[in-house]
């Protein structure tokens, strides 16, 4: 899951793959804008076959948060 997520992140922001770690913060470390982030969320929904709650997604700050959230949704 991490590798796929890293691949998707690199499509949205110009950072080297090694900069995308589980502790990397989307906005502060990877340079996402809120528009980039929400666009990526749409792709995550399609890729991982999940439905993201927009009220919960605002709490996702790091790559690890995103992985845990996706895994939680996939368990449902």
């Amino acid at each position: 899951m991490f590798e796929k997520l890293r691949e998707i992140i690199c499509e949205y922001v110009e950072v080297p793959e090694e900069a995308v770690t589980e502790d990397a913060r989307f906005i502060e470390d990877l340079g996402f804008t809120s528009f980039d982030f929400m666009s990526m969320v749409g792709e995550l929904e399609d890729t991982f076959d999940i439905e993201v709650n927009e009220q919960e997604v605002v709490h996702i700050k790091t790559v690890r948060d995103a992985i845990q959230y996706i895994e939680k949704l996939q368990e449902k």
Side-chain angles (χ1 to χ4, degrees):
M1 159 125 20
F2 173 70
E3 289 304 319
K4 183 62 181 167
L5 186 56
R6 173 187 269 175
E7 195 178 295
I8 292 170
I9 288 168
C10 288
E11 291 174 17
Y12 285 88
V13 289
E14 290 185 30
V15 295
E17 275 195 15
E18 56 273 8
V20 182
T21 64
E22 289 194 15
D23 292 324
R25 296 168 297 175
F26 285 101
I27 294 171
E28 296 88 340
D29 300 326
L30 301 176
F32 270 79
T33 64
S34 53
F35 178 77
D36 292 334
F37 185 76
M38 292 312 291
S39 298
M40 182 193 68
V41 166
E43 184 169 342
L44 294 178
E45 288 181 314
D46 294 341
T47 302
F48 295 105
D49 194 29
I50 56 173
E51 192 168 318
V52 171
N53 179 321
E54 287 186 22
Q55 318 233 296
E56 293 174 352
V57 81
V58 297
H59 301 294
I60 295 175
K61 305 290 184 210
T62 67
V63 174
R64 179 178 288 113
D65 293 343
I67 291 169
Q68 291 171 343
Y69 184 67
I70 292 165
E71 287 174 343
K72 184 181 97 174
L73 290 177
Q74 286 181 324
E75 288 172 5
K76 292 183 179 179

